[in-house]
Amino acid sequence: MQPLECSTCSTRVMVEKFSWHHTSVQWLADCKISCAQFRVDAVPGRQGVHLRTCSALRETIRQAVLDGTIPIPPD
C-alpha cells in the first residue's frame, strides 16, 4: 500500500491497486472527521458512514494512476 493525499481535502489514506477496477483503501483517520464529503453526508446519530465512496478521493486515485504515482500491476 502507498500513501496518498486527497487533492480536495488533504485526507491521507493508504492505497493499493490490483487492477483498474479493484482498489483497496485504508483510511488513516476517522473518515467522518477527515473527509469533507463524508463529513457532509454522514447521518447524525448513526454509527458509521453510509456512503460507498468519496468522489473526490476516487478522482485523486484515478489521477494518481494516470500519473504513475499509484501503479497497477500487470496482468
Side-chain angles (χ1 to χ4, degrees):
M1 296 196 101
Q2 294 182 251
L4 186 66
E5 186 174 291
C6 178
S7 62
T8 299
C9 69
S10 300
T11 293
R12 294 188 55 78
V13 296
M14 299 295 287
V15 176
E16 186 170 3
K17 291 292 287 181
F18 300 98
S19 70
W20 183 254
H21 297 286
H22 184 183
T23 306
S24 180
V25 176
Q26 180 181 3
W27 291 82
L28 300 176
D30 183 349
C31 63
K32 291 180 294 189
I33 296 168
S34 64
C35 172
Q37 186 172 343
F38 281 143
R39 196 169 44 246
V40 168
D41 294 334
V43 178
R46 292 174 103 182
Q47 294 261 338
V49 173
H50 299 283
L51 298 174
R52 295 186 60 92
T53 186
C54 169
S55 58
L57 180 61
R58 183 175 48 214
E59 177 57 26
T60 299
I61 294 169
R62 185 188 77 77
Q63 191 59 53
V65 170
L66 294 174
D67 294 346
T69 306
I70 302 291
I72 296 177
D75 292 335

